[in-house]
Amino acid sequence: MESKSVTLMIRYKDADGKWKRKPVARGANGRVKPDHAQIDGKAVAVKGGAYELRRIVVRQPVYVPAGKRAADADAQRARLERTTAAIEAAKGTDVQVIAIPGRKTLKETAAAYISDAQGRNANEAAEQARLVSTEFIDLMRKRNKAYIDEIDRDDIFGFHTALRKRGCEDRTVANKHARLASWLRFGGIDKAILPPVPRYEEKLPTIYSSEQTKAILAAADPVMKICILLGLKTGLRDQELMHLEFRDINWKDKTLRVQSKEQWGFLPKTWEQREIPIPDDLVAELAAWQKTREGQELVLGTKNHKPNTKLLRTLKRMVHRAGLSCGRCKGCKEINECKEFTLHRLRRTYLTVLLRNGIDLRTVQAYAGHKDLASTMRYLRPASAKEAQSRLNAVQW
């Protein structure tokens, strides 16, 4: 809450276009209500507002800009208030209070880091940053740490431990560590504090067997059948499946183009369009499917003509109903959603099948939309024991 020493104000234009300053309005929980001013004792919504900190210096008000984010502005107010109170308390003593300029909170740097990613249209990175920063800030709150210069090596190891206690696998811990380290470096932390990325076992990509794909196709409704066939025979990522439109299909050349969709805020992961050949049988399936989707632009869109964000969950529930779940994983035991069955596994199956059938690495890389060849080479996995058995029996030892 505001004190006599520091007041958080909002500067805005009124209905007549004149600039006004008023104290911010707060909700019942004491938090600042974004874009609301306290006018005549009431919270009133205002437009085009920016926050300022007001201090009285030699009986004159001094206003300091505090940005446009309510939470960040209130955090600045609290810091300035604490500093001012400490300086006042030290007067008349032999204690000197030194205010550290530009001290950054974890929340401030996280918000700036996320905003930077969004500004680069790196929406996936921004979402990952939002999740990781929320998790880390919650942990640091328990340790009474709010500033980035308070973070030490033990805090980062503690984050790893907390993730593992939650059941995160080693690879997930490593990925979250990489995002955390990127954020902290962005915030100006001493790089010497950052431990190396945790090591994990590099597992072979898991794929569906022919029996599994036949079983899930047999259990699928019309929407999921098209979804599964697209994933299996074009290798589209989850987001690419969600945003695929009929106009992306070249019926004459039998190709599919992955491209941005401004209306949905969708961009290809590598920022590059790519074309993927479509097998004849899938072309026929898609043509028949389009006839049943009159008025729909999205191949797998909802009844409201929006991207279907529930394709993965639908797949998992379908697998559970069909009795195909593994029954061993944590997902099966806790929420009846088997971890073994994912849309991305269809993509892994597609890439593995292409490579096993002699399509060269560079071509598969282009179809996959991989930036580097190493990502594609991960799918050069050996054939299964069953597939290799006949070849082994024919070997002259």
Side-chain angles (χ1 to χ4, degrees):
M1 296 295 186
E2 279 75 19
S3 70
K4 292 181 180 179
S5 60
V6 184
T7 304
L8 182 58
M9 310 289 288
I10 186 166
R11 187 169 183 260
Y12 63 96
K13 280 187 177 180
D14 64 12
D16 297 325
K18 296 180 180 179
W19 285 103
K20 295 285 185 72
R21 282 191 181 99
K22 292 289 182 180
V24 297
R26 294 180 180 272
N29 58 5
R31 294 178 182 173
V32 175
K33 297 185 70 173
D35 299 319
H36 279 71
Q38 186 177 347
I39 303 174
D40 297 330
K42 296 180 181 179
V44 178
V46 297
K47 292 184 179 180
Y51 296 99
E52 296 178 333
L53 300 176
R54 184 183 70 185
R55 296 178 61 196
I56 304 299
V57 179
V58 195
R59 298 184 181 181
Q60 295 294 323
V62 175
Y63 295 92
V64 179
K68 292 189 175 183
R69 290 177 55 87
D72 293 346
D74 203 31
Q76 291 182 53
R77 175 203 58 79
R79 289 200 304 277
L80 181 57
E81 196 171 276
R82 287 194 295 268
T83 302
T84 304
I87 292 172
E88 289 296 323
K91 286 182 178 179
T93 71
D94 57 358
V95 176
Q96 182 182 10
V97 176
I98 301 174
I100 303 174
R103 197 179 187 202
K104 301 173 183 176
T105 67
L106 292 168
K107 281 189 175 182
E108 287 171 344
T109 54
Y113 181 63
I114 293 166
S115 177
D116 180 78
Q118 290 172 333
R120 294 182 281 107
N121 279 329
N123 296 325
E124 186 176 346
E127 182 58 27
Q128 291 172 359
R130 185 176 289 107
L131 293 172
V132 169
S133 61
T134 299
E135 292 170 329
F136 188 73
I137 289 169
D138 286 344
L139 177 64
M140 292 305 101
R141 188 178 293 115
K142 296 174 184 176
R143 298 186 173 202
N144 294 318
K145 293 186 176 183
Y147 295 92
I148 200 162
D149 58 21
E150 295 177 314
I151 304 305
D152 56 33
R153 207 175 180 87
D154 287 341
D155 293 323
I156 298 171
F157 286 133
F159 183 58
H160 298 168
T161 301
L163 292 173
R164 293 191 178 100
K165 284 182 178 179
R166 266 179 37 204
C168 292
E169 296 181 357
D170 289 342
R171 186 186 182 103
T172 302
V173 174
N175 289 339
K176 286 181 179 286
H177 169 92
R179 182 61 58 191
L180 172 67
S182 176
W183 159 37
L184 295 179
R185 286 195 300 268
F186 177 89
I189 198 170
D190 184 351
K191 294 180 182 179
I193 290 173
L194 299 172
V197 178
R199 302 187 70 177
Y200 59 90
E201 180 185 11
E202 188 69 47
K203 297 180 181 179
L204 287 171
T206 53
I207 63 173
Y208 289 117
S209 66
S210 296
E211 292 78 10
Q212 285 177 317
T213 55
K214 289 176 182 176
I216 58 177
L217 280 169
D221 63 18
V223 174
M224 288 309 300
K225 179 183 177 182
I226 294 297
C227 176
I228 292 164
L229 288 174
L230 279 167
L232 185 64
K233 298 188 178 185
T234 65
L236 295 182
R237 298 180 175 94
D238 294 24
Q239 290 286 322
E240 293 168 351
L241 286 167
M242 285 167 46
H243 295 95
L244 181 68
E245 297 179 349
F246 286 109
R247 68 181 177 91
D248 298 324
I249 300 170
N250 185 319
W251 301 100
K252 180 181 178 181
D253 295 340
K254 300 178 183 178
T255 59
L256 178 157
R257 176 168 293 188
V258 177
Q259 55 189 333
S260 62
K261 305 291 164 57
E262 292 183 9
Q263 68 273 36
W264 308 118
F266 168 74
L267 283 167
K269 186 174 181 179
T270 55
W271 279 64
E272 292 181 358
Q273 293 187 4
R274 69 183 194 277
E275 282 194 338
I276 305 168
I278 312 174
D280 288 349
D281 58 345
L282 180 54
V283 172
E285 291 276 2
L286 289 169
W289 177 243
Q290 186 181 31
K291 292 178 181 178
T292 70
R293 304 283 284 176
E294 187 176 352
Q296 271 277 18
E297 294 181 352
L298 291 160
V299 176
L300 299 171
T302 66
K303 292 179 180 179
N304 296 325
H305 305 275
K306 293 182 179 180
N308 190 338
T309 60
K310 298 180 180 179
L311 293 173
L312 175 59
R313 175 156 288 186
T314 302
L315 172 68
K316 289 181 176 293
R317 290 178 176 176
M318 180 193 82
V319 164
H320 174 70
R321 287 195 302 269
L324 302 173
S325 301
C326 72
R328 302 183 302 274
C329 70
K330 187 176 180 181
C332 284
K333 294 177 181 178
E334 295 183 359
I335 54 176
N336 293 326
E337 293 183 5
C338 185
K339 291 176 64 177
E340 296 296 314
F341 288 82
T342 66
L343 295 175
H344 199 75
R345 193 169 182 175
L346 293 167
R347 173 176 166 84
R348 294 197 294 266
T349 305
Y350 167 78
L351 298 177
T352 302
V353 168
L354 292 190
L355 291 168
R356 283 186 182 174
N357 281 272
I359 298 179
D360 65 276
L361 269 170
R362 290 289 183 188
T363 299
V364 176
Q365 179 189 5
Y367 294 167
H370 286 153
K371 272 290 188 184
D372 57 83
L373 201 59
S375 297
T376 311
M377 289 178 68
R378 288 190 66 239
Y379 297 90
L380 278 171
R381 52 173 289 171
S384 66
K386 182 179 178 181
E387 294 167 321
Q389 194 68 48
S390 60
R391 299 178 193 174
L392 286 170
N393 290 336
V395 171
Q396 298 296 319
W397 298 101

